[in-house]
């Protein structure tokens, strides 16, 4: 059964929504006054919050399939994030009117002769159809995966209409395919000459890592001191976070290594922009905040079992996830080097504030899920008790 929004969450929600309104006004006013391009900033922030909802979907699917106590503290955030997909669709509307400003292959007379062989895929009509298909699938999955949905469709015999495990099994495949193609469409094609077979997987892992970080912060803020299993659940979440940090670092390094070894101009140019200019400072920040610092702290068992410490690590990773999305999206529009503009802040307030404010109103207190709860115990309760 749902519970009402906590007073603390309600206050933060109101503040976030007010910040969103102010950010939207400032973004419009600054763009009109200075003529500065605001679409790259808006796209980067929108993709980041979209990734939080997509990553939550992936983790909810995993918890439905594997169960475990680790998900009890995190499910409220995941399920609230799934309720944000209609909002994300609405927030995407401003992007639709300025797509040629973002994607060079959409511009008339762009002169990208080397892309003519890919025109069957990189064309505006097919791009729009794919985007509609992605969101249709995500909206359907979000509706089917939400924990409160079975309670509304049960009949007199109180049996759920569909097993969560079955929906999750299909959903896992759909999630993997759609997020991979969406990453190619909305991020890789910003530099259409560049390509990487690892890019979709790297983006998906980054989304899951950011979503888990958000869930840990939420769980720490709303945790009850009376919960006897609190430390074990955070220990489980910490081990999962540590594994994702290692996986993200491995994929990011292997992508760089393979492209460096191949030394193809179309592929190395993408990295040269980000490493041979002042964008390299952001690359070093990502190396430290997205891998080195979290990895070293999470080596400690006590750090993983202490909610405030784990939440602090998650906060660093969440900031790193935002910086990573900025690093992937914005450099082609600021080729002279790393530069922060007012539009970046205003877009963060507008899009991020709207998403967070509505998310806080959707979060409910953790509840037992008999089909997804502790039937298998914590994550690695027996094999990794002392990790």
């Amino acid at each position: 059964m749902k519970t009402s929004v906590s007073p603390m969450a309600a206050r933060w929600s109101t503040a976030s929504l007010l910040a969103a309104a102010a950010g939207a006004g400032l973004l419009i006013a600054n763009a009109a006054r200075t003529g500065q391009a605001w679409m790259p900033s808006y796209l980067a922030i929108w993709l980041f919050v979209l990734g939080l909802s997509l990553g939550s979907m992936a983790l909810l699917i995993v918890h439905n399939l594997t169960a475990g106590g680790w998900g009890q503290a995190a499910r409220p955030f995941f399920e609230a994030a799934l309720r944000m997909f209609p909002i994300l669709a609405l927030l995407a509307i401003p992007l639709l009117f300025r797509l040629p400003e973002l994607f060079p292959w959409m511009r008339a007379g762009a002169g990208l002769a080397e892309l003519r062989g890919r025109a069957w895929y990189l064309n505006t009509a097919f791009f729009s159809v794919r985007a509609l298909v992605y969101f249709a699938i995500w909206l359907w999955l979000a509706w089917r995966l939400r924990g409160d949905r079975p309670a509304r469709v049960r009949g007199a015999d109180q049996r759920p209409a569909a097993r969560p495990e079955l929906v999750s099994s299909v959903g896992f495949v759909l999630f993997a395919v759609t997020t991979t193609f969406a990453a190619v469409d909305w991020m890789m094609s910003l530099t259409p000459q560049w390509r990487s077979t690892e890019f979709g997987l790297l983006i998906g892992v980054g989304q899951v890592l950011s979503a888990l970080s958000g869930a840990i912060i939420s769980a720490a803020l709303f945790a009850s001191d009376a919960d006897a299993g609190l430390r074990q659940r955070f220990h489980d979440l910490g081990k999962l976070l540590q594994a994702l940090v290692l996986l993200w670092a491995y994929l990011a390094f292997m992508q760089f290594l393979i492209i460096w070894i191949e030394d193809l101009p179309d592929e190395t140019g993408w990295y040269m922009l980000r490493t041979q200019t002042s964008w390299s400072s952001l690359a070093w920040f990502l190396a430290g905040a997205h891998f080195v610092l979290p990895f070293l702290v999470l080596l400690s068992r006590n750090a993983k079992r202490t909610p405030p410490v784990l939440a602090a690590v998650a906060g660093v990773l969440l900031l790193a996830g935002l910086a990573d999305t900025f690093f992937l999206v914005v450099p082609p529009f600021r080729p002279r080097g790393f530069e922060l503009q007012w539009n970046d802040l205003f877009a963060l307030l507008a899009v991020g504030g709207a998403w967070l404010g509505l998310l806080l109103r959707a979060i409910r207190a953790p509840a037992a899920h008999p089909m997804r709860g502790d039937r298998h115990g914590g994550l690695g309760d027996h094999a990794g008790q002392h990790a």
Side-chain angles (χ1 to χ4, degrees), residues 192-211:
Q193 300 87 349
W194 185 69
R195 54 195 177 272
S196 167
T197 55
E198 285 189 37
F199 190 75
L201 181 58
L202 178 60
I203 295 302
V205 171
Q207 291 173 343
V208 173
L209 180 55
S210 294

Side-chain angles (χ1 to χ4, degrees), residues 48-120:
F48 174 68
V49 297
L50 174 66
L52 290 173
S53 288
L54 287 172
S56 297
M57 177 183 290
L59 287 163
L60 199 59
I61 288 172
V62 170
H63 188 239
N64 283 347
L65 294 174
T66 64
W70 65 272
Q72 291 303 313
R75 280 191 76 98
F77 179 90
F78 298 154
E79 294 191 348
L82 260 59
R83 295 186 179 94
M84 295 299 105
F85 276 104
I87 304 303
L88 288 164
L90 291 175
L91 290 172
I93 291 176
L95 295 168
L96 302 178
F97 298 100
R98 311 292 286 274
L99 287 177
E101 292 183 18
L102 294 170
F103 301 98
W105 50 269
M106 286 189 180
R107 298 168 198 158
L112 299 175
E114 67 275 20
L115 298 180
R116 288 174 185 168
R118 284 180 260 169
W120 66 271

Side-chain angles (χ1 to χ4, degrees), residues 130-150:
R130 291 196 303 271
L132 290 174
V133 171
Y134 303 151
F135 263 97
I137 292 173
W138 294 337
L139 287 165
W140 178 79
L141 282 175
W143 175 62
R144 294 302 300 265
L145 291 169
R146 276 171 44 187
D148 60 343
R149 183 189 171 272

